[in-house]
Amino acid sequence: MSPSFLIATHADAEHATGHLRRSLTLAEALRSRGHDVAVQAPDTDYVRVLASAWCPNGGGLRLEGLAGSVEEADPDVVVFDLPRSLGPVSDVRAARVAALDRFDFADERIDLFVDLFVPGWARPEHPLGERLAEGLQFSMVRPEVAAERDAAGAVRNDAGRVLVLFGGSDAGGMTARALAQMADAGIGAEVDVVVGPGVPGLDPQVPGADAFDARVHVDPPDLPRLMASADLAVSGGGTTLLELMCLGRPTVVAPRTADESEFAHAIAAQGGCLVVDPAEEDAIGTAVRELASDARARERLSECARALVDGRGPIRIAESLEALT
């Protein structure tokens, strides 16, 4: 009999939208291998907005209180994909327990720890389970993004198309800040702006977009194609960055949190992206202008990014989870 899996995750407008997205991606990978999978997230207004956009037919997503219902469930494997701000969940009845990117299971039993650690990332101490799956080869890239990997064009001499996207919620209004700086820097490229489903109001009138006559896409169904067709991208340092890397898109990263900054700088040290400090007045605009004018630099970023993230992360994690049962 095929083992059953429960993925317990979370999302909020500040920083955790990517946790829900990648949990759904992992669930899809496990189901494709014949397993019974449920994804559980808190029943909040914000999660319901994301669920209606990403799981119109349910997708095995259960919205309910986190701790109690996880403890009452009885799957073969529970997978926790939670931000560090949430406390550990005790008394899980599953035969095996796995964790994705979690460092604060102080006294918890963890049988598999999946860690996107990269050299140079000063990760906190954490207890290791019986197995450790470690590295960017476990990056959770959606299959529809990985499918565009071969179609993504090579770096062109002319960076004529720039894509600006800051994930599902754009905490801190980074999209408007990036557009304003790009306008001040005299960027002359065509600009596509993606507004995620978690942005309040889903207002297509993004401040600064009119400076470029930019095309604004609200939660577009063809996002993987938009990403693959960009000559250069401006993004945060979370799940979206990893998907852009899979497609070999040269990316300027403006981190929104301390964790994103630490992670993106570690990737930049390997040549996978270019990181700027969004608090600096002209940092984003200057970086985009300089990168747009340097085809060789974009080519180096593209090659390194594709080598670091190949799009097979969900399958590798699914195989590691299967090995627990």
Side-chain angles (χ1 to χ4, degrees):
M1 182 176 178
S2 178
S4 60
F5 296 85
L6 172 64
I7 305 173
T9 188
H10 182 79
D12 61 53
E14 292 303 316
H15 65 284
T17 301
H19 287 266
L20 177 59
R21 170 66 92 179
R22 69 186 189 184
S23 291
L24 294 170
T25 298
L26 177 58
E28 184 176 349
L30 287 165
R31 289 193 193 102
S32 73
R33 301 170 71 85
H35 301 301
D36 180 25
V37 187
V39 179
Q40 184 172 300
D43 187 6
T44 65
D45 290 342
Y46 183 74
V47 171
R48 283 195 293 272
V49 168
L50 298 182
S52 65
W54 294 342
C55 307
N57 298 316
L61 179 62
R62 300 186 341 209
L63 302 182
E64 50 193 277
L66 183 61
S69 51
V70 170
E71 292 168 9
E72 294 168 4
D74 194 19
D76 295 298
V77 180
V78 168
V79 182
F80 288 107
D81 185 4
L82 306 171
R84 278 189 257 173
S85 58
L86 293 184
V89 179
S90 303
D91 301 325
V92 176
R93 294 171 55 190
R96 291 287 185 263
V97 178
L100 309 184
D101 275 357
R102 279 271 285 174
F103 304 109
D104 54 358
F105 282 90
D107 299 313
E108 305 294 314
R109 170 180 61 85
I110 303 297
D111 301 297
L112 172 68
F113 197 95
V114 181
D115 191 353
L116 292 183
F117 170 76
V118 292
W121 190 17
R123 59 179 177 177
E125 291 295 324
H126 59 72
L128 300 182
E130 296 175 3
R131 303 170 188 266
L132 174 66
E134 184 177 66
L136 286 173
Q137 67 267 32
F138 293 97
S139 297
M140 206 78 74
V141 175
R142 288 172 289 161
E144 57 266 35
V145 173
E148 294 286 341
R149 182 175 165 88
D150 291 337
V155 171
R156 300 186 300 178
N157 287 332
D158 177 23
R161 191 168 186 178
V162 177
L163 177 66
V164 179
L165 69 170
F166 281 90
S169 64
D170 189 17
M174 289 299 300
T175 299
R177 190 183 312 179
L179 290 172
Q181 291 193 23
M182 288 166 56
D184 290 343
I187 304 301
E190 296 182 9
V191 176
D192 287 285
V193 179
V194 173
V195 178
V199 175
L202 291 179
D203 186 357
Q205 302 303 316
V206 176
D210 55 351
F212 299 94
D213 194 21
R215 294 177 290 265
V216 178
H217 310 266
V218 179
D219 193 26
D222 60 345
L223 178 56
R225 182 190 60 79
L226 281 172
M227 296 167 73
S229 63
D231 295 306
L232 189 157
V234 183
S235 173
T239 302
T240 301
L241 167 61
L242 296 173
E243 294 190 333
L244 289 164
M245 291 174 64
C246 176
L247 297 173
R249 298 304 87 189
T251 302
V252 174
V253 180
R256 296 162 296 179
T257 67
D259 282 348
E260 279 195 5
S261 179
E262 192 175 28
F263 186 59
H265 275 96
I267 292 174
Q270 298 183 77
C273 66
L274 177 64
V275 185
V276 299
D277 182 354
E280 294 183 7
E281 185 175 352
D282 302 319
I284 299 173
T286 299
V288 171
R289 183 183 63 229
E290 293 178 352
L291 193 56
S293 65
D294 190 340
R296 182 62 189 128
R298 296 197 310 278
E299 185 177 359
R300 288 194 298 267
L301 284 174
S302 175
E303 291 172 353
C304 288
R306 283 179 61 93
L308 289 169
V309 180
D310 66 3
R312 290 187 49 80
I315 295 301
R316 292 190 180 98
I317 296 176
E319 291 172 345
S320 297
L321 291 170
E322 288 171 338
L324 294 177
T325 62

